[in-house]
Amino acid sequence: MANRGGFSSKLGFIMAAAGSAVGLGNIWGFPYEVGQGGGAAFVVIYLLFCFILCFPVMVTEIAIGRKSQKNAVGAFDYLGFKKWNIVGKMGILCGVLILSFYNVIAGWAFGYIFEMAVGNFDIANHFSEFIVDVFKVGAYGFVFMATTAYVVSKGISGGIEKAAKLLMPTLLFLIVSLVIYSLTLENAMAGVKFYLVPDFSELNGKVIYNAMGQAFFSLSLGMGALITYGSYVGKNDNIVSSAALITLTDVGIALIAGLMIFPLIGYMTEGAMTDVGRGPALIFVTLPQIFGTIGGTLGAVVGTTFFILLCFAALTSTVSLLEVPVSYIVDEKNIKRSKAVWLVAGLIYLIGIPSLLGNGYSEFFSNFITYVGAESATDFLSFVGHVANDTLLPLGGCLIAFFAGHVWKKANLDEELAQGAPGYKGSFIQKYLNFAVSYLSPIVLGTLFVLTVLGTFFGINLI
Ligand code: TRP
């Protein structure tokens, strides 16, 4: 078998996995979910889910990967449960779907770098025209996908790890600079208050459901991305402490992203915080308006910096999404990495075209499907998001945890986690992980899956 390569160090792995986790989900998704979910109460629930529910699944994925040294499908075969490799296959499908639309959005963010650089803040009023210009945004997406493919083609230590080691510290520097700047603005504190002082009367089933999905997606769980990355981890590295650092980084960056965005909104709304609940438009409409209010060269610099930051975050995530199918093909089909990468990336770009066209350009893809009981149609990009993020990911996570707890068995999981972690056995964390992996995570994630299927696709809203 060809040499699969691997991360050069524990730190390299942590950076790459944190890079996978930190993405559009943190800097775009998290703040708008907070805005829609009533602010700090959402944040509290989100944090609980990350540590109590998601962290155990992360540990499990990495352990399965490292034990087997295989891709998301081959890992189940290696452990002796060939039937279960359907979970890995579902994960690969899911990765392909997510990357297909994620790249479209990353392309928008990439295009916005240039709009901000020339001071075109008026784009805030023309976002819907911007995304209808499919040849232009399609080209931006093409460049983004090609960059992703280039990184993955260079392999694990020479590509994925190297890119993460460059992009992640830069990202941290940029985001902290923007936080400091936005905190100096007038009415910044109104934003901070909205963001950090919880009002639990805002909580309801829907907010909790969203917080759960957001946490799971943000940590890149449920589709074997971390099985794949785990397969490149050294046998002497401590999985539990690595996973803790990855979770902390992801949560930390999401929290910092809120600290960057809400003061800006406080500034623009003169403390009224009226414009926070706008959902996805937050980044592409509200923020450019704010950069326009700052105005001039400073506005352009802040705006450009923000979208560069967003693209860096997205790139380390698209890289991880592409690596999942690539690793499968390299391991199982014996195709050379360089060839597999360009093939898969090209294919995923094509699969993404309906998501590109469905934002006003093509009537058919813009009103692609009307769910049972829904009043209006859903566009293709959102549809794929509902299938992949909201349905397949929680199902995958539920099955992966159940598999580790009851099929592969806890003792084997423990054995793998104890490697490189003296003192793990018998610890409180071991007992907690065993409980969560066997019962808590599968039950909660299974519930999330059922709620999505019933609520989104069949109009039966239990929450
Ligand atoms: N976590 C990334 C984000 O927040 C997206 C992502 C990358 C992802 N790889 C994944 C999500 C694997 C789920 C599974 O933007």
Side-chain angles (χ1 to χ4, degrees), residues 8-48:
S8 68
S9 64
K10 181 178 163 189
L11 180 69
F13 163 62
I14 292 173
M15 288 256 199
S20 165
V22 174
L24 296 174
N26 301 59
I27 294 164
W28 179 45
F30 177 75
Y32 91 62
E33 294 278 4
V34 174
Q36 286 189 323
F42 177 93
V43 179
V44 174
I45 302 293
Y46 168 81
L47 289 177
L48 288 178

Side-chain angles (χ1 to χ4, degrees), residues 225-307:
L226 290 173
I227 295 182
T228 308
Y229 273 20
S231 74
Y232 304 118
V233 171
K235 283 286 180 197
N236 296 323
D237 291 342
N238 184 329
I239 294 180
V240 178
S241 70
S242 303
L245 281 169
I246 297 163
T247 307
L248 283 171
T249 309
D250 185 58
V251 168
I253 298 277
L255 290 177
I256 295 177
L259 216 46
M260 160 176 70
I261 284 171
F262 291 106
L264 287 173
I265 300 178
Y267 165 71
M268 190 182 77
T269 59
E270 295 177 346
M273 297 307 290
T274 40
D275 231 9
V276 288
R278 298 185 56 178
L282 179 65
I283 291 291
F284 291 106
V285 178
T286 311
L287 280 191
Q289 271 168 5
I290 299 171
F291 301 140
T293 315
I294 297 167
T297 314
L298 182 60
V301 170
V302 175
T304 311
T305 309
F306 175 80
F307 284 100

Side-chain angles (χ1 to χ4, degrees), residues 19-26 94-95 98 102 214 216-226 250 313-314 316-318 320-321 324 389 393:
S20 165
V22 174
L24 296 174
N26 301 59
C94 194
I98 296 180
Y102 197 95
Q214 172 64 24
F216 207 65
F217 178 82
S218 182
L219 290 167
S220 296
L221 299 173
M223 52 158 269
L226 290 173
D250 185 58
T316 44
S317 298
T318 52
S320 81
L321 287 160
V324 174
N389 300 1
L393 287 185

